[in-house]
Amino acid sequence: MMEWFRPEPYILLLTGTGFLIALVAWLPLALKRLPLSLPIVCIGLGAALFSLPQVTLVPSPLAYPEIAERFTEFVVIIALMGAGLKLDRVFGMRRWQVTWRLILVTLPLGIAAIAVLFGGVMGLPWMAALLLGAVLAPTDPVLAADVQVGPPKTGEEDEVRFALTSEAGMNDGAAFPFVNLVIVLAMAASTGEPWAAKWLTYHVLWEIGAGVAGGWLVGRAFGWVTFRIPAETKLAQTGDGLIALAATFVSYGLTEIIQSYGFLSVFVTALTFRHAHRNHDFHREMHDVAEQVERLAMMVLLVLFGGALADGLLAPLAWTDLVAALVILLVIRPVTGLIGLAGLRAGWHEKLVIAFFGIRGVGSFYYLAYALNHMTVQGAERLWAIVGLVVAISILMHGLTVTPVMRRLDRRQGRDPDADDIPPPGLQGPGG
């Protein structure tokens, strides 16, 4: 009798995708002045959807390890291109000193502190503890839209938004040597082979050096064909922002082919691409396309994450894991952030905001999936539970505080957060 009301799964998928895209476009406007973020809503939608008895799919990263690695990888590289294109500040050692402090001081200190927390205090095997340090120390370029600078050419970038944007773009690549260190140590433990020289020469010097060089070359090439060749054939004439996706995939693919760090390469490509013609309006077109793809992919991923939470991703946790997660977000990140920023010419309120908003997210998912797909670790379920808990708390805690904190920061610096030229949080960042 009700057979007519049995739509095909394909039709349901199309309908759901349409609603998802509509939410991606509308929710940032609706949440502009609310202490609520788009990621929080996505996780809630996912938890509700996958709690329905009709939905039998279990979106667990443990059940689909390869898909978890590749999908998170895709979302991160798109976010890195968008982050690089939106930075107006010219790259340089002095101009980017806040970034170097966060990468060279805060990141290693965070890895060490998290490893000591799990290995020395909580009693996890040191291999797993070091892996958690490498996975949870980097901040995330995907979920940090609310604290990042605005689109290209939107005005002066304050130190807080520049620091958080550039850090998120840089430290995903900077953390990779530490993830590979855990993998190398695990292999050495089973084979007894020397590991230090290989790790230093290959995973540090070669993969970082080749990633930076490869990203620079790809950025220079795309900058030339986009802005410098004769007017009738330059890519900027097309007005098609999909060129940003082309540069992302070419940069990542070529550098991965030569066994170097693709995350670092994509961010360097974006910075070099932007430098090819800093004031061209076409950068805005490319940034907008990259951001739209990023937001849609992010929303799908967070809906799946909400489903994984509803299906018991956090079940292996002990109460001590909750304490550890809070220590990471409320103690380790702020303290290591302030240590890295010591001596920087900035107000204390700015330093506190930079140190506090160390958002964890999709990058942590990728690193854990990558590591577990390349090594054997006992208790993978608990590792996923710990990382999922830290990311969930980060999304909730930072999502509820970002709007009031950033609006207050704008007022302190003489900007009106309600002005029409300030993009809404979660859409294009709070502005610059």
Side-chain angles (χ1 to χ4, degrees):
M1 184 175 179
M2 293 291 291
E3 290 185 1
W4 62 274
F5 192 65
R6 291 181 180 177
E8 298 178 6
Y10 171 71
I11 299 300
L12 289 176
L13 178 63
L14 283 182
T15 306
T17 302
F19 279 112
L20 191 64
I21 295 173
L23 286 174
V24 167
W26 173 75
L27 273 176
L29 295 173
L31 301 175
K32 180 178 180 180
R33 293 176 176 82
L34 296 178
L36 197 65
S37 68
L38 179 60
I40 295 176
V41 176
C42 294
I43 292 175
L45 287 173
L49 175 64
F50 285 93
S51 296
L52 297 174
Q54 295 87 349
V55 179
T56 57
L57 174 67
V58 179
S60 169
L62 291 160
Y64 306 97
E66 288 290 338
I67 294 177
E69 178 185 343
R70 293 307 179 188
F71 189 28
T72 52
E73 176 184 52
F74 172 80
V75 180
V76 171
I77 63 174
I78 297 297
L80 290 172
M81 176 58 66
L85 288 176
K86 70 173 66 172
L87 287 169
D88 291 332
R89 187 176 303 189
V90 178
F91 183 81
M93 294 302 296
R94 294 191 63 182
R95 296 187 186 97
W96 283 51
Q97 64 170 310
V98 63
T99 312
W100 303 127
R101 289 167 173 268
L102 293 169
I103 298 301
L104 299 177
V105 179
T106 298
L107 178 64
L109 286 178
I111 293 173
I114 294 171
V116 170
L117 172 65
F118 284 106
V121 178
M122 298 186 60
L124 264 66
W126 279 103
M127 204 72 71
L130 181 57
L131 177 59
L132 285 173
V135 165
L136 291 173
T139 58
D140 190 65
V142 181
L143 302 181
D146 293 356
V147 293
Q148 291 184 356
V149 301
K153 298 175 59 182
T154 52
E156 292 294 325
E157 300 169 340
D158 64 71
E159 197 72 4
V160 171
R161 290 188 173 98
F162 170 78
L164 294 171
T165 305
S166 58
E167 180 197 14
M170 193 79 75
N171 70 3
D172 265 326
F176 229 130
F178 298 97
V179 177
N180 276 321
L181 174 61
V182 180
I183 297 173
V184 169
L185 288 174
M187 294 179 62
S190 60
T191 64
E193 296 180 357
W195 60 269
K198 177 184 177 181
W199 175 73
L200 181 61
T201 57
Y202 179 68
H203 291 295
V204 178
L205 298 179
W206 165 254
E207 293 198 296
I208 291 178
V212 171
W216 181 81
L217 289 173
V218 172
R220 290 277 292 181
F222 270 89
W224 185 77
V225 299
T226 303
F227 301 114
R228 301 301 181 187
I229 60 176
E232 63 272 13
T233 55
K234 66 177 63 173
L235 290 177
Q237 294 294 106
T238 67
D240 193 340
L242 286 172
I243 300 302
L245 298 185
T248 302
F249 299 150
V250 169
S251 176
Y252 192 78
L254 290 180
T255 50
E256 286 290 318
I257 287 173
I258 63 172
Q259 300 294 307
S260 60
Y261 292 134
F263 283 179
L264 193 58
S265 173
V266 170
F267 189 61
V268 172
T269 292
L271 295 177
T272 309
F273 202 173
R274 178 70 196 279
H275 186 66
H277 195 319
R278 302 200 64 82
N279 296 318
H280 202 289
D281 292 337
F282 189 54
H283 289 297
R284 179 64 180 264
E285 307 296 329
M286 292 190 293
H287 166 267
D288 289 349
V289 168
E291 185 187 51
Q292 289 170 349
V293 174
E294 174 198 340
R295 280 194 287 134
L296 181 58
M298 176 204 73
M299 196 164 184
V300 172
L301 181 61
L302 291 182
V303 167
L304 294 174
F305 178 47
L309 293 176
D311 284 317
L313 180 67
L314 306 184
L317 291 174
W319 70 268
T320 52
D321 296 327
L322 174 59
V323 176
L326 294 175
V327 169
I328 291 171
L329 296 173
L330 297 177
V331 179
I332 292 179
R333 164 62 191 197
V335 170
T336 57
L338 290 175
I339 292 174
L341 298 174
L344 181 71
R345 291 187 177 180
W348 269 105
H349 63 282
E350 293 177 308
K351 293 181 181 180
L352 286 173
V353 173
I354 295 172
F356 175 72
F357 281 107
I359 300 174
R360 270 58 177 174
V362 181
S364 295
F365 291 153
Y366 169 75
Y367 278 133
L368 183 58
Y370 174 87
L372 294 180
N373 286 339
H374 288 80
M375 62 184 287
T376 301
V377 179
Q378 291 184 348
E381 297 85 357
R382 188 179 178 191
L383 295 184
W384 269 112
I386 291 172
V387 173
L389 176 67
V390 172
V391 172
I393 294 175
S394 177
I395 290 174
L396 183 63
M397 179 178 70
H398 293 122
L400 292 175
T401 57
V402 63
T403 298
V405 169
M406 299 309 284
R407 286 169 66 86
R408 184 176 180 181
L409 177 68
D410 283 333
R411 291 192 180 97
R412 287 182 66 99
Q413 297 180 343
R415 293 190 299 270
D416 180 6
D418 297 317
D420 292 335
D421 60 341
I422 301 293
L427 180 62
Q428 295 168 330

